[in-house]
Amino acid sequence: MQTLKESYPCQPSAAAGQKVLELTVNNHPGVMSHICGLFSRRAFNMEGILCMPIGDGKLSRIWIQIAGTSQLDQIVKQLEKLEDVRTVVSHPAEHEVFAKLEEYFQGS
Amino acid sequence: MNKMNGAQLTIKLLERFGVGIIAGIPGGSNLPLYDALSHSTTIRHVLARHEQGAGFIAQGMARSSGRPAVCFATSGPGATNVMTALADAKLDSIPIICITGQVPQSLIGTDAFQEIDTYGMSIPITKHNFLVRSARELLEVIPAAFRIASEGRPGPVLIDIPKDVQLEMVEFADWPAMPQRECVKQYRKQDIEQAAAMINAAERPILFLGGGIRHGNAHDAAIRLAEKNNLPTTMTLLGLGSMPTEHPLALGMLGMHAARYTNLAMEECDLLLVAGARFDDRATGKIAEFCPGAKIIHIDIDPGEINKLRTAHLQLVGDAGSVLAELLPQVESKSRQDWLNRMAFLKKENSFIIEGADDPRMPYGLIRQIAALADHETLIATDVGKHQMWVAQTYPFCRPRQLLTSGGLGTMGFGLPAAIGASLAHPQRTVVCFSGDGSILMNIQELATAVEQRANVKIFVLDNTSLGLVRQQQNLFFGKQYFASEYQHHVDFVTIARGFGMQAFALGASDDPVATLTEAMQTRGPCLVHVPIGRNEEVYPMVPPGAANKEMIGGENHANA
Ligand SMILES: Cc1ncc(C[n+]2csc(CCOP(=O)(O)OP(=O)(O)O)c2C)c(N)n1
Ligand SMILES: [Mg+2]
């Protein structure tokens, strides 16, 4: 994936050691439980998650921000094993999806 | 056009996919399924006495045959009861399909009678699960469940079917086909060449086989590779039988209760060829100190196991049998005389002490006597505890799927229902179940199922009036503070078994234990043999939990010291 570092040179979310994952999943009521459950039971660090249906609603797109890259390989492999996960794409931390949302996550 | 309700559709699909036996217990939410099942002429229902029993009966069928097996439970308590068997199947990669009834969809989320979030509860302990929302969905879900359960790394699948879906009428033109299993192969020709070169160049290689070897004919390929290149071979608990115990290259089980020479050999190897094993802590001990000088070639069908606990120098993601077969022509015929001499020396200096080998009233003696009375077809199930480890250490296994034991979850109560399941799948064979006085009580109700089904199971209860393996840890690591591990009240297992209508023998009261054991093994049908064992009979050697495998307690061969 192309890095977007130039356009967002100093976003706080672009701190070293973060990653953004883009998942395409089957859209049904249990799929978020599968994803979140995987992160909690395997002690993977999840900083943020976004999920919305795409296309005709049969699929959803999930964006996940993870802290620390040491577990990245395992996270991707374990996600790919989930039956409802169609694809996993790993982006650098600078991916704009979470940066663009920042204004909705202000405050103390 | 085919027209039927969801329950009938479910049963028809199970029939079409070759299911011959379903273990389960009915209840309010799965009664339509049971009604449909009552009309089946090809599926036999085995009524368990507890849903955990039903789950383990299915496991017994699946473990012994390699094919997915099915169990049924109702919603709420039926579903919670079966969870342990699903979790056990998850950790040992066993293909079972559990179909639970659920309250009607209109009541989901209302805390209805016997409503529980079966779907949510089973996510972490299944390979995949489904909550079916319409009868039509069953046409996809049930074939998918069979595919998922057996594809790649096998595992349990749960299908939760609300009662209204079971009753909903559906019309459809064509029956779905059994979906093709995808075959996993994520390595290139060069990887095989590199692996072969590493094996050929190694001076002190060891082949390390796990539960993944049960599938296909991987054990054949493994044995041929080992013999061609003279690779000493060790096995995990679930890998036992991949190479016959009596094979000259076999080093037996490694890990917490391995023979001393096995763990010591691992210390010296310079190349570890791992196939279908996942570096479980019971096998490796302290992982950082496991095979300290070894390069690792890791063969596994699950890419998630590669580099999970131990970094592989070379990974081969695919079916172990295919990978090993591809390696065979590339590895050289080698005699490895020095390394095999070293193995022989370690074996001699640190030989495994089989105390009481000739006394059938002692743990090892009993196991050897049973082995002498058994044939190659006999299946062996165990419960969890000292008795399980004594069996793993000394039973002469000769083929994969011969031993049925709860490895990953270590579930007490596994043995009896798993033995019944194995016997249902292989009615012409004898199934021996080694159990303990603690474990047998955890699913004792299945004695009724065994009698009802006339299952040919021989249950040996090694009664040390204690939770032996727990007591041993208190002995070794908690200053002999025996707390909650010694039974104050002793159960009369012989009377209990007879109360269930089962033949029973008291070995302690027998003048001729060999004759009693022979009679038990040769009488057709289920029986229970009570075997008194001293509380202080321990399992040695033992690696303290968390320690490196070389730090073994006990089991020294003093004759050589
Ligand atoms: C369901 C369950 N509960 C608790 C344990 C912990 N545990 C492991 S071995 C053991 C003792 C087993 O006793 P028994 O079946 O009599 O076997 P023994 O060790 O005495 O041969 C216990 C309590 C377990 N493995 N499974
Ligand atoms: Mg005991």
Side-chain angles (χ1 to χ4, degrees), chain A residues 19 50 97:
Chain A
K19 275 274 179 190
L50 296 166
V97 60

Side-chain angles (χ1 to χ4, degrees), chain A residues 16-80:
Chain A
Q18 289 194 334
K19 275 274 179 190
V20 171
L21 299 179
E22 178 186 4
L23 278 57
T24 309
V25 303
N26 294 333
N27 177 21
H28 67 81
V31 70
M32 282 291 274
S33 299
H34 274 269
I35 307 279
C36 296
L38 176 71
F39 274 77
S40 56
R41 79 173 171 275
R42 292 214 178 251
F44 295 154
N45 278 322
M46 180 193 284
E47 296 273 284
I49 182 161
L50 296 166
C51 178
M52 290 291 274
I54 52 172
D56 62 1
K58 285 215 171 67
L59 299 176
S60 290
R61 167 88 7 96
I62 296 182
W63 293 94
I64 300 172
Q65 190 173 54
I66 56 175
T69 49
S70 61
Q71 298 171 307
L72 182 67
D73 183 55
Q74 264 297 309
I75 294 177
V76 171
K77 283 176 175 171
Q78 296 296 347
L79 282 169
E80 283 174 340

Side-chain angles (χ1 to χ4, degrees), chain B residues 103-378:
Chain B
V103 301
Q105 292 184 87
S106 57
L107 292 181
I108 287 183
T110 66
D111 306 317
F113 178 63
Q114 294 193 331
E115 185 198 356
I116 201 90
D117 179 11
T118 307
Y119 179 86
M121 220 170 34
S122 56
I123 287 175
I125 53 166
T126 51
K127 186 173 172 194
H128 192 56
N129 60 358
F130 298 93
L131 173 55
V132 184
R133 284 160 203 281
S134 72
R136 183 163 304 279
E137 270 183 35
L138 290 164
L139 289 164
E140 280 179 30
V141 165
I142 293 189
F146 277 83
R147 174 183 57 78
I148 294 164
S150 51
E151 177 179 80
R153 178 177 183 172
V157 176
L158 178 130
I159 308 174
D160 200 27
I161 313 181
K163 193 172 185 179
D164 59 307
V165 174
Q166 297 174 42
L167 293 169
E168 185 195 341
M169 293 304 289
V170 58
E171 267 185 65
F172 58 95
D174 299 313
W175 288 100
M178 176 69 104
Q180 285 300 310
R181 283 191 255 160
E182 222 176 285
C183 113
V184 181
K185 184 177 172 181
Q186 300 176 10
Y187 56 90
R188 300 154 306 169
K189 205 166 134 268
Q190 303 92 287
D191 299 323
I192 295 284
E193 284 162 8
Q194 195 189 336
M198 286 168 76
I199 297 165
N200 292 335
E203 281 177 17
R204 299 180 305 281
I206 287 181
L207 177 60
F208 172 15
L209 304 175
I213 297 296
R214 283 172 297 196
H215 306 290
N217 272 333
H219 66 291
D220 270 348
I223 292 169
R224 271 188 284 150
L225 188 81
E227 287 174 348
K228 183 172 180 191
N229 198 263
N230 270 309
L231 301 167
T233 301
T234 186
M235 287 156 275
T236 65
L237 178 63
L238 291 188
L240 286 176
S242 315
M243 177 181 271
T245 307
E246 260 130 49
H247 194 288
L249 288 167
L251 294 172
M253 178 177 75
L254 81 169
M256 185 172 271
H257 293 292
R260 298 183 76 86
Y261 63 79
T262 313
N263 284 341
L264 293 173
M266 304 303 287
E267 293 293 306
E268 298 185 13
C269 75
D270 66 353
L271 178 80
L272 196 60
L273 177 59
V274 192
R278 59 178 175 86
F279 292 94
D280 176 77
D281 55 272
R282 285 294 184 269
T284 66
K286 190 176 180 184
I287 187 87
E289 291 175 39
F290 178 63
C291 296
K295 288 222 161 83
I296 312 274
I297 302 175
H298 196 172
I299 304 169
D300 206 290
I301 201 157
D302 178 358
E305 290 305 339
I306 312 283
N307 300 335
K308 184 182 83 176
L309 288 160
R310 184 71 183 261
T311 308
H313 296 84
L314 181 66
Q315 50 176 284
L316 296 162
V317 174
D319 171 68
S322 316
V323 175
L324 293 167
E326 280 186 59
L327 276 172
L328 185 65
Q330 310 241 6
V331 303
E332 294 161 4
S333 292
K334 282 206 181 241
S335 67
R336 296 200 184 280
Q337 211 46 64
D338 289 351
W339 182 222
L340 295 190
N341 285 345
R342 178 68 189 158
M343 292 293 105
F345 174 81
L346 285 177
K347 235 178 196 175
K348 186 165 156 286
E349 291 295 293
N350 305 279
S351 57
F352 185 76
I353 322 289
I354 305 183
E355 259 171 66
D358 300 318
D359 182 353
R361 298 173 194 270
M362 297 286 283
Y364 292 127
L366 174 80
I367 293 162
R368 283 167 67 110
Q369 188 59 48
I370 301 300
L373 293 166
D375 57 35
H376 282 250
E377 295 284 278
T378 306

